[in-house]
Amino acid sequence: MDKAVVLRGITKRFPGIVANDGITLEIEKGEVHAIVGENGAGKSTLMKILAGIYQPDEGEIYIFGKRERITSPGRAIELKIGMVHQHFMLVNRFTVLENIILGAEKRAGMVIDEQKCRKVIGELLSLYNFSLDPDARVEEISVGQAQRVEILKVLYRGADILVLDEPTAVLAPQEVKELFANLRRLKEEGKTIIFISHKLDEVLEIADRITVLRRGRVVGTVVPSRVTKEELARMMVGKPVFMKLEKTPVPAGDVLLSVKDLVVRENTGKPAVNGVSLEIRGGEIYGIAGIEGNGQKELAEAIIGLRKTSSGQVTICGRTATGLSIREIRDLGVAFIPEDRHRQGLVLPMKVWENMILGYHRKKEFLKKPSLNLKTAREFTEKRVKEYSVRLSSIDQSIDGLSGGNQQKVILGRELSRDPRVIIASQPTRGLDVGAAEFVHEELLKKREEGKAILLISADLEEVLSLSDRVGVMYNGRITAEFRPEEVTPEDVGVYMLGGGVKAGEGA
Amino acid sequence: MFLSELLASSLRMAVPILLTALGAVFTERAGVVNIGLEGMMIVGSFWGALGSYYYGPYFGLLLAMAAGMFLALIHAVNTVTFRVDQIVSGVAINILAYGSCRFLSQAIFKMATTSPHVAGLPKIDIPVLAGIEFLKPLVSGVSPIIILALLLVPLTRFVINRTVFGLRLRSVGENPLAADTLGINVFRMKYAGVLLSGMLAGLSGAYLALEHTGMYVEGMTQGQGFIALAAMIFGNWEPAGALWAALLFGFSEALSFRVVEGGAIPYQFIKMIPYVLTLAVLAGVVRKSTPPAADGIPYERGMK
Amino acid sequence: MKRKYLITVMRILAPVLAIVLSAFISSIVILAIGKSPWQVFYTIFRFSLSRLDSVAIILYNATPLIFSGLAVSLGFRMGLFNIGVEGQYLIGAFFAALAGFTLKGLPAVIHLPLVILCGALGGMLWSFIPIYLKVKRGVHEVISTIMLNYISYSLIHYLIADVFMDRTQKLLDGLGSMLARTPKLPPSALMPKLHGLLGLFGIELPRHVYLNWFFPLGLLMAGLTYYLLMYTPFGFELRAVGQNQEAARTAGIKPERVYMVGFLLSGAVAGLVGLSDLLSYFGYMDLDFPRNYGFDGIAVALIGQNNPFGIIVSAMLFGFLKRGAEGIQTLLNVPMDTIVILQAVMIMSIVVITKVMNDYIKRLEKKEDVRVCSSQNSSLQV
Amino acid sequence: SKQEQQPQQQQQQGQQAPETEKLKVGLVFDVGGRGDLSFNDSAYAGLERAAEDFADKIEVEYREPSGGGQDREQLLRLLAENGYDLIFGVGFLFTEHIQKVSQEFPDVKFGLIDGFIDGLDENSNVTCLLFKEHEGSFLVGAAAAMKSKTGKIGFVGGMKTPLIERFEVGYMAGAKYVNPNIEILSDYIGTTGEAFKDPVKGKELALKQFKAGADVVYHASGASGVGVIEAAAAEKKLAIGVDSDQSLTAKEDQRPYILTSMLKSVDVSVYETIKSLVEGNFKGGYSVFGLAENGVSYAVNDYNKELISDIQPKLDELKDKIIKGEIKVPVDKKEYQEFEKSLFK
Ligand SMILES: Nc1ncnc2c1ncn2[C@@H]1O[C@H](COP(=O)(O)OP(=O)(O)OP(=O)(O)O)[C@@H](O)[C@H]1O
Ligand SMILES: Nc1ncnc2c1ncn2[C@@H]1O[C@H](COP(=O)(O)OP(=O)(O)OP(=O)(O)O)[C@@H](O)[C@H]1O
Ligand SMILES: [Mg+2]
Ligand SMILES: [Mg+2]
């Protein structure tokens, strides 16, 4: 039988970097094939080549045994290759329905046959058990839902080869389960699935075979039953990785961040945060678990001053922060790692070093009045780049040429290295490879030991549970439960994340 | 009587702005800023007059639209194919329109700035309504283009919102990369949007020359291409919004004609009325304007 | 290495090639009117570059466009489209004129700077309205600046023709026509020409050339703008806001504040646009005061890619085209409309060709980069 | 270096055409240029006629300033440098420029239309060609008042400048003179030079005046007047043209609605100036063209003959009185107010 996809000697170069360096890879029909690798290993690039977005500089592609030149995304669709991108390719202002049908509209003449489209989508929704409102605008739905839209887009087009680039990064454990169930079903239907993830447990669970990439090259292809997580990690990074967190007990300090009865409204007037109270002491990590879209983002943004609060109060290091400007709040010693790095974290066309000082550019060490001190700024950047092993060709390159994970590292380097007293970290390791994620975790724990107060918001339940001293579950704008992580299992927390059970706040 | 005349005058003043603004909706929804609309109106007025002079008004209108589309094609080649800055290309197109009309007018009519008199379309009376005395100025002797322009508003809306073409056009202006990954020919959609805008701007120019004045006069577009652009933005990139904005502008202009001059207010201030009123309305009505997300950004595959 | 060499050569040749190719395209237009392209271009270059007065006039022509291009580019840099430079410079020029003819008896060292300051102030004032409306009321700056341009025309007309008109102009029994203009500015308010300075270097400019100190001032302003943008914290913020408003806001920058300050700066620079004409050529402001510098500035800024030094070059290009136009109109009888067409074709082909060449150079560079890098990479151990 | 170049060029000129030795006459248009159907065209007509009549003695050229008109002075200077003997500047905007350039080139003669330069005399190298537009406007104002049945007439001006205001006051004075009770509506199109190229607004303003009861409208608005005439034809009321005889250029079906036009013979003034140069008696200073000199008048042609015949005797009588000085036509708003007062005395 012909293989679904055969890549032979694929090479793709970007300025200063060889993203794919002679990659040869075979993917069987009907298998789930995982691709793992460090940040910047070239996974997305390889998949984009398969999807017709990039053209390889060298190499050949065979789809079901036939040599193909995938010159455009349109050609990829003709070949029944569908891709769910790491950075969603959705039209934010369109509805879910419009996004799904775009380019493959059911039509009556020149007019869109909305009824028919609706029917087909309805069938898909019930077949795969997706809860999605086809008329909701994409800009208003949660990331997890957006993910489903992306998958639906592919299914709607009847793709035989599905490429999923880090689909689980934004999903809650339950959602991951659902996704995997669906992937298995698709596999049974005979579809071929290429799956990219940094979460090795997941990979080991779902994949039939795993290919490891490092620095643009194939390190090897393995079968899950014959490797351990540690071995896999070592293949990726090239050296042993210790995946155990050492959490030393830290004496609780003063309350550094306190939120009281906070209400934050959306533009529509609907409360997104509905009376949240919490207190975080120095030396404490407070984790917020929850499915995305339950007010975590708004909570974080309200604390940092990006959103107006309707009522309630935020106090930082003993000073009322409500009503202060973002800059003033940051000057109180608050670091902020936003969840959407492209929108809020980085100025993409600007250089790496410029992004590294963004927001801190008026600090003394970066000024040589009346101008910026380019020298110290660059030195600072070089240091962080080394520390966080950011993979780049030059700090003068514009940051949009960096891989997703490396971009995140720049943000972390910027926000964590300036001795903040309060750290608000939204999805800090989203999209980071194991090595980098581990580094970030250590960094957060170090800050904890230094007596900082940390608010950690993450969809990665395992991360929340292993790092936090206390965990709150956010559902529907409220903190519906609070635990000490050692008291609960992920499953317990998952129940609350989905709105089940109500447990009165303890401790705080 | 005064009121209905005021309204009739408003409508006459609004129509060229409306037509061009509808064109602007098409091009901007496809993500191409077209500041060359003024130039496309200019060639519309000239070629409309030229066509009508030799072969009658219908031919004139066709020629005007073709001329507008020709300039639009240049704009599309510049901005979509070569990805030149959209505003520079528009500015150059305005200059080209001005120069070429002057050149051709001199060559063909032996007058640089005016054409001979030309015929317009037969005016029509709207049945039934034209019988009502009060409405007479509004509904009798109306240029068919005015009616066409008004009909184009719901039509444009329908095309943009309900057709396959419209959906794809919008997607290209919002997120061309996403559209591209779905196999939509981004370039073709952008070309279509720009060409449509040229066609409508050309028609609008022809309205001025054939229907309103009965001849081409250099500079008769009076910057209305820019006003139309403003109207389109004012109307939040929507056809219906463009209609209201154009009407507001036409109305305030008609109103300014009727403010008695020589009174206490210096006439220069009366001339400001349309602009001041527009600003005042804008400042008073707080509405968030949301341009298409990728408006003005040239698209190139393989770029982030 | 050969490729690297090629890139350098291309870098230098690109603008030259762009001009040559655009001249080639323009030749079609020239042939269409039955003239010889060779002769036309020869005349343009000879007339513009071999006469001292032409060279000076080109610089003089470029002066207002440098200011205008800078003003527009400041807007673009922060993501705003200031179509209102047109109105801003007219109001600025009027303010300057007002300070010029109302204040009497001041020494030039005080009067002239004061007049220039008033020009900047006037432009700033007129740019305050749209930016205030934008920041406070969400009014799109393109609409408000277009409207304000029209308003400024009427306002200027009112101020000049009705309020400050110089009615002391002599007529013959009411015959002839007074210019609708302000009183003349006293010499203490006028900008000295560059003749004196250039004389020191043995360059004797003819008297009818109006090249004045605003030209070096324009160059200085470009340098300052570059410094502001690339080296100061404010310039950093301005660029950040222009490229990602939301990220800038998250980083603690107030986009509204940046818009406000940046736009006022843009307006202040715009206020200087008309001063070279006002303070050296006319000596008064009239209803016929030069128009369109604001619109030309848009093209100048964008052709110069919003880079202050690029703007100087593109302003000179515009000045050159204008002077060349005078030459071929006078010497070869090429009609004005053909010249206008030529200018449009030139602008268009220059931007298209520059763009295509730059893309090509970029691709070459990429390959160069890749080569260097893959030789490093091959030593990597797997 | 320019001083060096100049004689050089003149030398060249001398070498090139020793036998013909034609006089060179140049003309620089105002913005709008050739083909504006009024002022500039009229000047061009004079130039053309001279070129025909003196074909063996002169050669003529014209130039157009670019968009904003900033290069008026450069064009004058370049013509002067290139050995032109007589150069016209069409329009009062040339006043300062001709003043400057004429001093730089004392051997070149200049004709300035509509502009006044102080202190010239017969020996100057500049002659100012000045028109009494108010006198001509007075006559058409009288005609309008006599033809009006509603007792209401209108005036549409382009941009308000002292020159256009002279048209307006002359017109109002003439109308009031024959009918002190006449009501005059007066509008201007805009506040920039563009107002002379805006037939759309011209038409709307005229329509408004007609709807408000006016039945004759006079315009002084260049190409915008096309709209005024169009409005008159549409409303079946009367329009009065300006500068040249606009009945001749109007559409067939518009002609019945053009009462007359106020003629301003710029062509005559240009022609006469060239003629004086050719005949060797060019004089500097001022040439005034009023009713007496036939420099301004009202149009009578095949199309309006019948329309105007009943009031012609009266118009001729008024013309006589003006020429004799019995009526002093006001030239500005202030004089007009006095004039109006005197009527009621
Ligand atoms: N458009 C581009 N321009 C320049 N360089 C790029 C571009 N896209 C990717 N790269 C570079 O190519 C390398 C591989 O990037 P890629 O996005 O494929 O990594 P990845 O394996 O998906 O990483 P991550 O896990 O962080 O998403 C990175 O070093 C990145 O900097
Ligand atoms: N872009 C900005 N966003 C928010 N606040 C700002 C911004 N720029 C300045 N500020 C605030 O306004 C104050 C005064 O502004 P100013 O420009 O003088 O800043 P600064 O920090 O004193 O830096 P410098 O004097 O070096 O320019 C600053 O101290 C700061 O608190
Ligand atoms: Mg990736
Ligand atoms: Mg990633």
Side-chain angles (χ1 to χ4, degrees), chain A residues 2-230:
Chain A
D2 282 331
K3 308 229 183 308
V5 179
V6 175
L7 302 173
R8 237 187 258 300
I10 298 288
T11 297
K12 176 72 186 173
R13 308 180 184 100
F14 289 116
I17 241 156
V18 184
N20 291 161
D21 193 0
I23 289 188
T24 296
L25 185 62
E26 299 187 345
I27 291 162
E28 303 287 343
K29 187 167 178 299
E31 76 168 332
V32 175
H33 194 115
I35 296 180
V36 296
E38 276 186 292
N39 292 129
K43 307 177 292 291
S44 300
T45 304
L46 187 64
M47 293 303 114
K48 283 183 184 165
I49 288 171
L50 198 55
I53 293 173
Y54 293 150
Q55 298 307 305
D57 296 325
E58 288 158 30
E60 297 163 6
I61 302 174
Y62 298 84
I63 305 293
F64 295 115
K66 254 185 72 194
R67 169 101 192 257
E68 299 285 356
R69 228 180 269 284
I70 309 179
T71 49
S72 71
R75 180 73 193 127
I77 292 172
E78 281 168 22
L79 294 169
K80 301 221 166 279
I81 302 171
M83 176 159 174
V84 173
H85 293 269
Q86 182 176 2
H87 298 120
F88 297 150
M89 299 275 183
L90 294 172
V91 181
N92 282 328
R93 206 108 67 79
F94 280 12
T95 61
V96 168
L97 180 116
E98 285 174 325
N99 266 291
I100 295 173
I101 63 173
L102 181 61
E105 305 85 353
K106 312 274 176 223
R107 43 165 85 194
M110 295 193 0
V111 182
I112 298 169
D113 187 344
E114 223 190 285
Q115 278 339 97
K116 205 150 140 205
C117 295
R118 221 170 261 283
K119 210 176 123 235
V120 176
I121 291 172
E123 281 163 10
L124 284 174
L125 282 175
S126 60
L127 185 63
Y128 293 99
N129 234 339
F130 282 171
S131 69
L132 259 185
D133 173 9
D135 293 319
R137 279 185 195 285
V138 165
E139 59 196 351
E140 285 156 9
I141 64 180
S142 70
V143 198
Q145 286 173 317
Q147 171 92 72
R148 287 177 212 150
V149 179
E150 282 282 23
I151 295 174
L152 276 178
K153 266 165 72 174
V154 173
L155 296 175
Y156 177 86
R157 284 167 177 69
D160 286 334
I161 300 170
L162 274 76
V163 180
L164 300 143
D165 193 352
E166 290 191 39
T168 57
V170 297
L171 299 184
Q174 279 78 2
E175 292 177 307
V176 172
K177 273 200 193 117
E178 254 174 63
L179 175 72
F180 282 3
N182 280 320
L183 291 185
R184 290 199 184 92
R185 171 202 294 267
L186 289 166
K187 185 176 140 184
E188 276 160 29
E189 286 172 15
K191 305 206 190 262
T192 307
I193 294 163
I194 305 176
F195 179 85
I196 296 175
S197 176
H198 289 299
K199 298 183 183 164
L200 301 181
D201 293 324
E202 287 175 359
V203 169
L204 290 169
E205 179 189 341
I206 188 83
D208 298 315
R209 289 195 302 157
I210 304 168
T211 295
V212 181
L213 293 190
R214 174 147 44 101
R215 303 235 152 173
R217 298 185 180 176
V218 175
V219 180
T221 299
V222 293
V223 178
S225 54
R226 296 216 219 113
V227 292
T228 63
K229 201 169 147 189
E230 284 71 20

Side-chain angles (χ1 to χ4, degrees), chain A residues 298-334:
Chain A
E298 288 78 4
L299 174 64
E301 290 185 358
I303 295 173
I304 192 73
L306 262 173
R307 268 174 201 268
K308 277 219 179 72
T309 56
S310 305
S311 64
Q313 204 174 1
V314 177
T315 315
I316 291 163
C317 306
R319 287 193 42 194
T320 308
T322 343
L324 294 188
S325 72
I326 301 168
R327 177 152 158 170
E328 287 162 333
I329 294 176
R330 280 177 170 272
D331 283 345
L332 292 176
V334 182

Side-chain angles (χ1 to χ4, degrees), chain A residues 325 327 331 362 367 369-370, chain C residues 233-234 237 252-254 257-258:
Chain A
S325 72
R327 177 152 158 170
D331 283 345
R362 279 184 188 267
L367 285 183
K369 291 227 163 157
Chain C
F234 179 74
E237 288 169 358
I253 298 167
K254 285 187 188 136
R257 187 189 138 107
V258 171

Side-chain angles (χ1 to χ4, degrees), chain A residues 13 346 354 361-362 371-372, chain C residues 227 231 237 239 244 370:
Chain A
R13 308 180 184 100
L346 300 167
E354 290 176 313
H361 55 276
R362 279 184 188 267
S371 62
L372 290 170
Chain C
Y227 175 78
Y231 291 99
E237 288 169 358
R239 286 183 294 127
N244 187 347
V370 163

